[in-house]
Amino acid sequence: MSGNLQVLGACPLDCPDTCSWVVTVEDGKAVKMRGNPDQPYTRGALCVKVNRYLEHTQAADRILYPLRRTGPKGSGQFERISWDEALDEIATRLRAIVDEHGGEAIWPYNGTGSLGYLQGCEGVAGRRFWNMLGASRHWLNICSSAGSAGLRRANGTAGGMDPENLAQAKLILLWGTNTLTSGHHLWKFIQDARADGAHVVAIDPIRTRTADQADEHLAIRPGTDAALALGLLNVVLAEGGQDEEYLAAHTEGWDDFRAEILEYPVERVAEITGIPAASVHSLGMRLAHTRPTAIRATMGIQRHAGGGTAMRTITAIPGVTGDWRHPGGGVAYSTSDHVRFTIDTREDLLAEPVRTLPMTRLAAELPSVKCLFVYGANPLASTSDTNRIRREMLREDLFTVVVEQFPTDTADHADIVLPTTMQTEHMDLHAGYGHLYLMWNEPAVAPPGECLSTTETFRRLAERMGMTEPSLFDTDLELAGQLLSSGHPSLEGITLDRLRKEGWMRMSYPKPFAPFADGFPTRSGRLRFPPPGKAYTPPDSAGRDGLTLITPAAHTFLNTVFGNNPELRRRAKDPVVLVNAADAAARGLSHGQRVRVHNANGEFLADVEISDRVAAGVVASPKGHWPKFSPGAANVNAVVDERDADMGRGAVYHDNVVELTPV
């Protein structure tokens, strides 16, 4: 490339905003990146993390060539090898594993490092190749599966209201979501609503940046959200605020659910949630008399033992009040189920059915695995029970391949590391889970060194293994064309040529969009209220001795992405643990003191920050720190238990009890 080019692209990271960006290229080098001012959701702004993305692509520690391990596993000692050598070794080892142990001994472990439909997890990149080998199926259930399962049981879909419609709401409940850190573009729409008189309430165990900016903050005990929902509805019923017409026309199970609501008076709910009864009653009154009410709840709210139930009960609120019938009313969790296309992963290539391995059970399932092939993931920094995972990854009989951009803790444990492209260097197609736009990412620059895209890596590996199935060699443009050819009405008018030219297009949904005004995509066409006795599942941490640990998103990292960026690491400082003054006093802890945060699973080290941002009984330590850069070489996930939520086998990052002991 030469001269000055403006290249349209999209952020690939695990954030609901999926921003559209513009990259300025001069003489083949990307010199500037900015948010696309023409895209209605991005509105010209990126976040504090992605503002450093170009710097990140050019970082000194970027992996540029294939590597083979030379030292002990976990040592991070490697030598550079050629792609031919790497592909030969991988192909030889995979054939031997299949011959001796069967294809199911291979675990393709794909994470949310990219949400792309070509290069990332949304399109299940590489699945056709793995089907040819008969590898185990990977279930990416770590992020949102409990909440999605709860919503689907209620509404028939996890897709809810268009978050842009929050601008039309008169009451906004930001429930378990820190908008200004994890998806700040939504705040513009919230500001539009406030300018028109909306009242904004943050419901969160932590007084976050978002809670600071809300009109009201309710410091709820972790995992008790469903009980609060029932308490608010109890007030709605007392006020006669239910929409009897909507209930009769569009819901089922109302009589039983109504009886359960009556079992949760305000006083009982205050005792369960830790929120003063007066505050529960006050918000219930607002809810009873304010239309439309919008609820924004994201993934943190469902990472506990009752996470699926919590989302199911919360989504029942607009069913009782009738808010689902109003633009600007309802629940916004994820828009992913409104995206009506998917890559054909060619399940017919499987010779026989194979097992499914949930990524939340990596520690438990690894003993049965002979090859772990990791891409778009850093499980040794981001997955539960990392001590057990690390022990398994030290096994000499576990052949580990990691496709990576940087030398992560996971890459340090690999036998072979393959260098992969970053977003400015490859094609991809994206759909945000916080809006209704499709985005195209055009490569702006050539890949550095010998980095290959994920799709090209699998094409070359298939060729090296002698596979001849034509679909394994589809080009990126062919794959994108297949994705957009489903014929679903939501894609009307969207062509690949037009998308590449314009960079983004809104899916063909009405604006404003009220998805359940006239019914639900369930068998009965009605919202299904929770069955008797199933509207609240207490967290496992309830009643246990110790402190409930919350691991919120850091403002400077996105999961573990950017965890090696020098400037963002400087801003994040060493890991801290927020502790209420009463809990600190009871343990003789002082501000700035280093402590062991520990339980039966393990421990990590953090510096005490005495703060009223957490209530007594709750401590918080942000996620995203790489263990290798942390004191004690461990992060928060060393103490997170590997067990399932009530639905979707979701993770329980916010449902763990710890103690604090001075170092």
Side-chain angles (χ1 to χ4, degrees), residues 395-410:
R395 284 170 33 212
E396 286 296 331
D397 67 329
L398 177 67
F399 179 55
T400 302
V401 179
V402 176
V403 182
E404 248 300 346
Q405 300 155 353
F406 296 100
T408 64
D409 290 82
T410 304

Side-chain angles (χ1 to χ4, degrees), residues 39-53:
Q39 209 279 345
Y41 204 83
T42 304
R43 295 191 190 181
L46 299 175
C47 67
V48 66
K49 301 171 276 284
V50 177
N51 277 330
R52 310 194 78 89
Y53 193 81

Side-chain angles (χ1 to χ4, degrees), residues 163-169 172 188-190 192-194 196 198 328:
E164 288 187 57
N165 288 359
L166 264 71
Q168 298 169 265
I172 298 175
K188 299 183 181 74
F189 300 97
I190 295 170
D192 291 343
R194 291 178 96 172
D196 201 28

Side-chain angles (χ1 to χ4, degrees), residues 43-76:
R43 295 191 190 181
L46 299 175
C47 67
V48 66
K49 301 171 276 284
V50 177
N51 277 330
R52 310 194 78 89
Y53 193 81
L54 287 186
E55 169 192 302
H56 205 49
T57 66
Q58 299 159 15
D61 60 341
R62 177 113 186 244
I63 297 171
L64 301 178
Y65 305 97
L67 304 172
R68 177 195 288 128
R69 177 169 64 90
T70 58
K73 285 201 170 189
S75 67

